[in-house]
Amino acid sequence: MDSLTSRRQFLGKLSGGVLAVAAAGQTAGRLPAAAPDAKILGESGVKTAERPKKAWQPVSDRKIRVGIVGYGVCRFGAAFGFQDHPNVTVVAVSDLIPERCSELAKACRCEKTYPALEEMVKDDTIEAIFVATDAPSHAQHCIDALKHGKHVACAVPATFGSIEDAHRLYEAVKSSGLKYMLFETSAFHADCHAMRQIYRSGGFGKLVYSEGEYYHYCPEPIPSFRDWRVGLPPQWYPTHSNAYYVCVTGGSFTEVSCMGMPSRIPHLRPENNRYKNAFGTEIAFLRTSEGGMARMAVSWDTPGHEGEMGRVRGQRGSMIGMNYVGEEKNLPDLECPPLPPTVAPGGHGGSHGHLMNEFITAILENRTPLINIAWALNMTVAGIVSHQSALKDGMLMKIPQFTWES
């Protein structure tokens, strides 16, 4: 049985399930029409930022023909603003649930729809696809799009709990010669972007220590396709925190010792989720490719301040928030790049519009996007190995490495 058939059969059995309830509520107008609230996206998810002050200058008058797949509970298919970019035409959208597909088409001001990605990738008029489907499908959906000659942008994580899928995705990108970009939101938080600029200019030197944290309190599971979010091992969703090293330096993590703590929350008990996962919080202690150290935390079961945040400490300087203290006196421009007047910064700290604009601009300029396949996998796979370490009571484990020549 092929994956499309099995997914359709699954959807046919959902009339009494969480996903069907969520879809019906959305269709009936019982969920917010514009965007999900903080209960779904977390406080960081709904937070935006001011528009950059610099004026945007187009690099081309060409329009990239984009297809978008996925309009689940987070509604990411329309959230990143492809439909508002002057260099984009959204030519087709897709979602397995007809009501959601129709809503995505309306949100993206697009008339053409496909019932599944497997059909949309065959459309030769589409140049690039944004994959906003369920996380367990990300790697395969990106591979399918690449094999059909499409550039790919993908919601996080790059792969879901599978190092084998990570290698498959890496080879698909490498052999295709096409652009791949992970839409990791922390990369365009104001502080992370500023850290990257300072690092590149030498203002930190080598990073001795970095910290990243992703706290999203989930006392009740978030509705999701096949309940993939229910009981999710925290370090299988690691990129929001790991970005505070990888998206600052472009480096990687080489080995990890990770600790997990059993949760008091019912859906995070092993008997109540498909992953047999008991951990609501996992804290990873990692060696970096520079020889420094990092602590990366992901937690679902701790109330209190929430969000995606990080700090860095280097040989020549340190930074918390937007506060740099160090030896460098002539700092580079730290403001995020300008955006087209029609594109809003969007959610997750104002990162949505910047991620989309970077992907489109990279295609137009025929260059490697910022969060390329190596960065994407070095963030994601480090989390997969971290969870393996937590299952072995913190055993020190080597992490596979991915590289990319720009």
Side-chain angles (χ1 to χ4, degrees):
M1 182 183 299
D2 62 35
S3 60
L4 176 57
T5 301
S6 63
R7 283 193 288 147
R8 290 203 181 285
Q9 289 180 348
F10 169 75
L11 287 169
K13 298 175 182 178
L14 277 175
S15 58
V18 173
L19 186 56
V21 171
Q26 185 171 326
T27 303
R30 290 193 291 272
L31 294 179
D37 60 19
K39 291 182 180 179
I40 298 296
L41 294 178
E43 292 177 7
S44 63
V46 299
K47 184 179 180 181
T48 188
E50 294 184 1
R51 175 178 295 278
K53 296 180 177 62
K54 296 188 291 291
W56 176 76
Q57 297 293 329
V59 299
S60 171
D61 59 2
R62 188 164 82 84
K63 286 183 176 288
I64 306 298
R65 297 175 63 82
V66 174
I68 299 175
V69 57
Y71 203 54
V73 69
C74 293
R75 300 185 192 150
F76 281 158
F80 290 80
F82 282 96
Q83 65 274 14
D84 298 321
H85 198 289
N87 290 111
V88 171
T89 300
V90 179
V91 296
V93 301
S94 177
D95 192 285
L96 288 172
I97 299 174
E99 293 83 0
R100 287 184 172 175
C101 189
S102 177
E103 289 173 3
L104 179 58
K106 183 177 179 181
C108 292
R109 303 186 293 276
C110 170
E111 294 184 0
K112 184 183 288 188
T113 64
Y114 287 97
L117 172 72
E118 290 85 349
E119 296 182 31
M120 187 168 73
V121 293
K122 300 174 185 177
D123 187 334
D124 291 335
T125 68
I126 296 174
E127 298 177 69
I129 288 180
F130 174 44
V131 174
T133 56
D134 58 297
S137 298
H138 283 177
Q140 187 58 54
H141 284 170
C142 289
I143 291 169
D144 290 345
L146 290 162
K147 286 184 176 178
H148 282 83
K150 321 298 185 190
H151 302 294
V152 174
C154 185
V156 301
T159 182
F160 192 72
S162 171
I163 296 175
E164 179 183 352
D165 281 351
H167 287 289
R168 291 175 57 237
L169 177 59
Y170 180 82
E171 291 303 322
V173 176
K174 186 177 179 179
S175 63
S176 72
L178 297 164
K179 315 300 180 192
Y180 171 96
M181 179 171 163
L182 188 71
F183 275 20
E184 172 39 55
T185 54
S186 290
F188 277 106
H189 289 181
D191 61 348
C192 189
H193 173 77
M195 291 171 185
R196 184 166 57 249
Q197 300 304 101
I198 294 172
Y199 180 87
R200 288 176 171 179
S201 69
F204 293 124
K206 290 184 178 180
L207 290 192
V208 175
Y209 180 67
S210 59
E211 293 180 332
E213 297 166 338
Y214 176 39
Y215 299 139
H216 188 170
Y217 183 45
C218 298
E220 299 294 333
I222 298 171
S224 50
F225 183 71
R226 288 180 172 167
D227 286 339
W228 69 265
R229 292 183 184 270
V230 178
L232 169 66
Q235 286 286 348
W236 279 13
Y237 210 90
T239 59
H240 293 332
S241 49
N242 287 352
Y244 276 92
Y245 179 74
V246 175
C247 291
V248 172
T249 68
S252 61
F253 305 108
T254 59
E255 55 186 355
V256 61
S257 172
C258 181
M259 297 289 188
M261 185 171 179
S263 180
R264 62 190 175 85
I265 291 177
H267 71 92
L268 291 166
R269 294 174 185 159
E271 66 272 18
N272 293 335
N273 62 75
R274 69 172 68 182
Y275 312 108
K276 307 301 180 186
N277 173 51
F279 300 137
T281 298
E282 292 179 319
I283 311 295
F285 303 89
L286 305 111
R287 176 70 70 182
T288 71
S289 54
E290 292 175 293
M293 291 74 68
R295 178 187 67 85
M296 299 294 167
V298 187
S299 180
W300 311 141
D301 65 345
T302 51
H305 70 283
E306 293 192 356
E308 308 152 4
M309 61 206 83
R311 296 153 290 282
V312 298
R313 196 168 190 89
Q315 294 171 328
R316 298 191 64 236
S318 302
M319 191 163 177
I320 299 176
M322 293 296 291
N323 183 31
Y324 169 81
V325 177
E327 299 173 4
E328 185 60 50
K329 304 306 178 185
N330 297 309
L331 296 178
D333 181 6
L334 302 183
E335 186 179 63
C336 284
L339 289 172
T342 52
V343 174
H348 284 91
S351 64
H352 288 182
H354 290 290
L355 290 162
M356 181 274 300
N357 183 60
E358 165 64 14
F359 176 62
I360 293 301
T361 305
I363 296 174
L364 292 171
E365 294 181 335
N366 192 27
R367 60 171 173 81
T368 301
L370 179 70
I371 312 165
N372 60 49
I373 186 62
W375 288 26
L377 294 178
N378 285 330
M379 283 188 283
T380 304
V381 171
I384 298 171
V385 179
S386 293
H387 180 61
Q388 293 174 351
S389 172
L391 292 174
K392 296 180 180 180
D393 198 28
M395 177 186 291
L396 186 65
M397 301 183 72
K398 298 292 185 182
I399 300 171
Q401 302 292 291
F402 298 88
T403 60
W404 194 256
E405 295 295 331
S406 298

